[in-house]
Amino acid sequence: MTSHAHSFAPLTIRGRSLLPIVQGGMGVGISAHRLAGSVAREGAVGTIASIDLRHHHEDLLAMCREDHTRPTLERANLIALAREIKAARELSQGRGMIAVNVMKAVSAHADYVRVACDEGANAIVMGAGLPLDLPDLTAGCDIALIPILSDSRGVTLVLKKWMKKGRLPDAIVIEHPAHAGGHLGVGDVADMHDERFGFERVLTELDASFAALGLKREDVPVIVAGGINSHEAVRKWLAAGANGVQIGTPFAVTEEGDAHPEFKRVLVEATPDDIVEFVSVTGLPARAVKTPWLMRYLRNEERIRTKIGARKQTCPSALECLSACGLRDGIEKFGHFCIDTRLAAALRGDVGNGLFFRGREKLPFGAAIRSVRDLIELLLTGATKAAPASC
């Protein structure tokens, strides 16, 4: 473990004292065991994205090619998640925390939660929908529960529902839709910049919400996420009352990030003009890099909607991964493409066909690919060693 010399108070989750840095969960396969385990080994929170991890396991892909039915695909993904948690725990050497990110919008979310509990993950982080049933799904399991929400109304609703079940969240992530990458917590692309998502405003409103519910602010740590890409930003939000910061894209492009080098290249080379918002097949707005496939899709989106918008399709990947999918279920106002296929292509570095999710802000090291340790050092102290000369 590195001894990052910094002046910030620790982030305490379920009795564990951690660096105030959380690595965001990024699927399909972008944050798997290597990234999550490396982040945890530094004393921070490393997060495995639970969705569709079979792409990292050649034997499981072979099993799926042989029998391309939904039960086999689902079993392969649960085996892969169990392997990734085990490998991340070994890599972390018992330091920090290994979290598993589970999307509520995924039809198998309860199975992923069960595997996270069974395999000894330290925390479950749940977004992409209100995780009202998470305490029930984890009853009897000693695991931290961390919902991802975007405004104080959502937090207050979750707190009230969970308190009726006798459970408080162990921390809460507040994700700003205008800055984060991937799926965003708003109903409409146009709502992204709504003032209710501003971190200052949410932190102030949460003081009032907590007091009204008879809670102290220190009962539930608050972690802010989206657009945090520098030591100055970390310092600003921790000083403003956040207990930690969650960071995604800068971790995706580290040396230890689990994706293909071409995936990292696409992310580091993207300028602000290369990043676009659109409606995903989940019905949620999403943010990604304008790659050839995405630009082709967006140019033809209206025509695709007119042609197949309200027509049900068979799931092209057979995984039926989402509980509601624009393409499969013929939901006209949702996106119409197979997200699993596109994200798996990005993981493999297939620039022509992949969907490359990315946050909006510039990256801490510009176009350089550096280690997890260097990134954490820079975020906490503002200083970093010179990059080793490449051979």
Side-chain angles (χ1 to χ4, degrees):
M1 178 176 177
T2 187
S3 54
H4 299 288
H6 66 93
S7 55
F8 301 121
L11 168 64
T12 305
I13 298 178
R14 216 168 173 80
R16 282 175 182 248
S17 183
L18 305 155
L19 296 177
I21 303 271
V22 177
Q23 166 249 313
M26 296 166 284
V28 162
I30 306 303
S31 61
H33 80 268
R34 199 165 59 136
L35 179 57
S38 302
V39 172
R41 193 172 58 201
E42 296 298 320
V45 181
T47 310
I48 296 170
S50 59
I51 183 91
D52 215 8
L53 286 161
R54 66 200 159 107
H55 295 286
H56 283 302
H57 299 267
E58 200 38 62
D59 61 326
L60 298 178
L61 287 176
M63 179 174 106
C64 294
R65 281 193 294 271
E66 215 164 281
D67 175 14
H68 200 66
T69 59
R70 185 179 175 186
T72 302
L73 300 183
E74 285 188 344
R75 195 172 92 241
N77 281 328
L78 295 175
I79 294 168
L81 176 57
R83 287 181 187 174
E84 294 291 330
I85 294 169
K86 184 170 185 283
R89 289 181 64 192
E90 281 171 12
L91 191 54
S92 74
Q93 299 170 354
R95 301 188 190 119
M97 207 170 205
I98 299 292
V100 173
N101 178 290
V102 180
M103 284 172 61
K104 180 80 167 89
V106 168
S107 42
H109 72 268
D111 294 328
Y112 290 138
V113 166
R114 180 177 46 75
V115 171
C117 289
D118 291 350
E119 296 300 323
N122 305 119
I124 292 168
V125 182
M126 188 176 275
L130 285 173
L132 300 178
D133 59 349
L134 192 52
D136 305 319
L137 295 175
T138 54
C141 178
D142 176 23
I143 195 162
L145 303 183
I146 306 173
I148 302 181
L149 301 150
S150 289
D151 62 12
S152 61
R153 274 189 317 209
V155 174
T156 305
L157 176 63
V158 167
L159 285 172
K160 283 180 175 167
K161 294 277 189 195
W162 283 28
M163 285 167 81
K164 282 186 185 147
K165 301 173 194 281
R167 185 75 154 89
L168 279 179
D170 294 283
I172 289 170
V173 174
I174 301 291
E175 190 175 83
H176 199 310
H179 303 286
H183 287 112
L184 309 168
V186 276
D188 189 337
V189 176
D191 287 345
M192 246 175 243
H193 295 276
D194 191 300
E195 287 167 7
R196 75 178 189 275
F197 301 124
F199 292 149
E200 289 107 333
R201 177 163 162 182
V202 175
L203 290 166
T204 304
E205 289 176 352
L206 286 184
D207 288 341
S209 296
F210 276 56
L213 293 168
L215 298 171
K216 297 194 291 294
R217 233 325 242 101
E218 52 271 26
D219 291 339
V220 184
V222 175
I223 297 156
V224 294
I228 296 154
N229 64 344
S230 65
H231 172 64
E232 291 68 33
V234 173
R235 181 169 291 290
K236 176 182 176 178
W237 295 118
L238 294 180
N243 304 94
V245 294
Q246 178 174 292
I247 291 160
T249 307
F251 276 114
V253 301
T254 54
E255 289 164 3
E256 295 90 339
D258 290 272
H260 190 280
E262 276 294 283
F263 173 93
K264 298 175 190 181
R265 185 187 65 76
V266 167
L267 265 58
V268 299
E269 290 181 359
T271 66
D273 290 341
D274 296 329
I275 296 163
V276 66
E277 288 91 29
F278 60 99
V279 178
S280 165
V281 291
T282 58
L284 293 166
R287 180 171 289 117
V289 180
K290 294 175 180 172
T291 47
W293 168 78
L294 183 55
M295 292 318 291
R296 208 164 52 241
Y297 168 75
L298 293 175
R299 270 199 309 277
N300 295 305
E301 190 176 33
E302 277 314 306
R303 216 177 55 196
I304 294 167
R305 279 206 175 127
T306 314
K307 203 168 159 196
I308 64 165
R311 198 190 311 154
K312 294 194 174 191
Q313 312 275 326
T314 51
C315 171
S317 79
L319 182 59
E320 310 273 348
C321 59
L322 297 169
S323 40
C325 167
L327 180 65
R328 180 196 66 209
D329 302 333
I331 307 171
E332 207 161 338
K333 61 179 194 294
F334 285 21
H336 294 274
F337 55 88
C338 175
I339 193 163
D340 186 62
T341 307
R342 297 297 164 188
L343 292 174
L347 176 68
R348 294 193 303 273
D350 181 348
V351 180
N353 295 300
L355 171 56
F356 292 74
F357 282 150
R358 187 199 191 282
R360 179 159 270 309
E361 265 51 40
K362 66 177 197 286
L363 293 166
F365 290 114
I369 306 289
R370 299 284 292 268
S371 70
V372 158
R373 176 172 287 203
D374 287 349
L375 175 59
I376 291 176
E377 188 78 31
L378 179 67
L379 292 168
L380 290 177
T381 67
T384 185
K385 298 182 296 296
S390 55
C391 21

